[in-house]
Amino acid sequence: MKNKYIYLAILAAGFLSCEPEFENAVDATYTAGNADFSRYVAVGNSLTAGYMDGTVYKSGQMNSFPNLLAQKFALVGGGAFTQPSYEEDVNNLGGIAGIPGFNTRLVIDASQSRPENITGTSTITLTPQAKAYNNMGVPGAKTFHLTDLGTPFPPIGSNYGNPAGLLTNPPTANPYFVRHATSPSATVLGDAVSLNPTFFYLLDWK
């Protein structure tokens, strides 16, 4: 047994002594080429918005891939990248207060071997932020919702960002877009274009 540990120690020392070797020196100078990342705007659905664990929550949103890309773009002249505010999510629970079906984030319950909503009450509200953001990802949105002025959520009525549309049956608005639409009659694409993007990204399923 003693010899076994000696061999493992020697093997570990061998790995630690290995250093990567490059034929040529690594050039850490970055360039944007012909691209202009000064006003990067991302449009899409859940994947773009940073939706994870069944909802959007404060710390999870920071790992949205447009935000991660923007951090890299900043190395080559990329400008500020803004996302809808979740500062009110003080307990990092996600969900949307008062909206059925928009529950707190999922966590693994090891005792039950399944994911369950984390205990607590969402503090995320529908208070209008009325602002166009660089991340215009809207969870649940389809391509036809991006210019929508009369389709329901999920798909047939009133504006996609109009709070009144949350009270219809079926709902015709999306609470995530209601939170930051610049006006009740705004469209996702219209708000995105208002930022005059120099680099534009769109990801949606259909």
Side-chain angles (χ1 to χ4, degrees):
M1 180 65 72
K2 183 177 180 181
N3 288 339
K4 177 181 177 182
Y5 290 115
I6 292 174
Y7 294 144
L8 289 174
I10 293 172
L11 184 62
F15 280 124
L16 291 174
S17 66
C18 295
E19 294 185 5
E21 295 182 6
F22 298 94
E23 207 170 291
N24 301 307
V26 176
D27 183 1
T29 302
Y30 304 103
T31 175
N34 294 322
D36 181 353
F37 298 115
S38 57
R39 290 190 301 279
Y40 164 46
V41 175
V43 177
N45 56 14
S46 306
L47 298 174
T48 302
Y51 186 99
M52 57 185 71
D53 303 326
T55 186
V56 181
Y57 54 99
K58 187 176 179 180
S59 66
Q61 186 202 41
M62 298 310 297
N63 291 310
S64 71
F65 74 83
N67 191 47
L68 298 179
L69 283 175
Q71 292 173 24
K72 302 305 179 186
F73 293 160
L75 299 175
V76 289
F81 188 80
T82 58
Q83 304 193 95
S85 175
Y86 280 85
E87 286 302 312
E88 72 232 64
D89 190 19
V90 291
N91 296 315
N92 217 34
L93 299 179
I96 300 179
I99 305 295
F102 290 79
N103 303 315
T104 56
R105 64 187 174 91
L106 294 170
V107 293
I108 297 296
D109 184 341
S111 66
Q112 300 295 322
S113 299
R114 66 187 181 198
E116 294 187 351
N117 295 104
I118 191 170
T119 301
T121 301
S122 175
T123 55
I124 297 173
T125 68
L126 291 176
T127 302
Q129 296 174 22
K131 180 178 179 180
Y133 292 95
N134 295 83
N135 188 341
M136 289 296 295
V138 179
K142 304 293 185 184
T143 303
F144 57 84
H145 287 134
L146 302 183
T147 57
D148 178 48
L149 289 174
T151 319
F153 174 72
I156 312 178
S158 142
N159 298 329
Y160 203 51
N162 189 338
L166 297 173
L167 304 177
T168 61
N169 187 20
T172 58
N174 183 317
Y176 287 109
F177 186 47
V178 166
R179 292 184 76 244
H180 64 86
T182 55
S183 75
S185 61
T187 65
V188 178
L189 192 58
D191 280 355
V193 170
S194 73
L195 295 174
N196 297 313
T198 59
F199 188 80
F200 180 79
Y201 169 88
L202 169 64
L203 175 66
D204 218 310
W205 290 118
K206 47 181 162 175

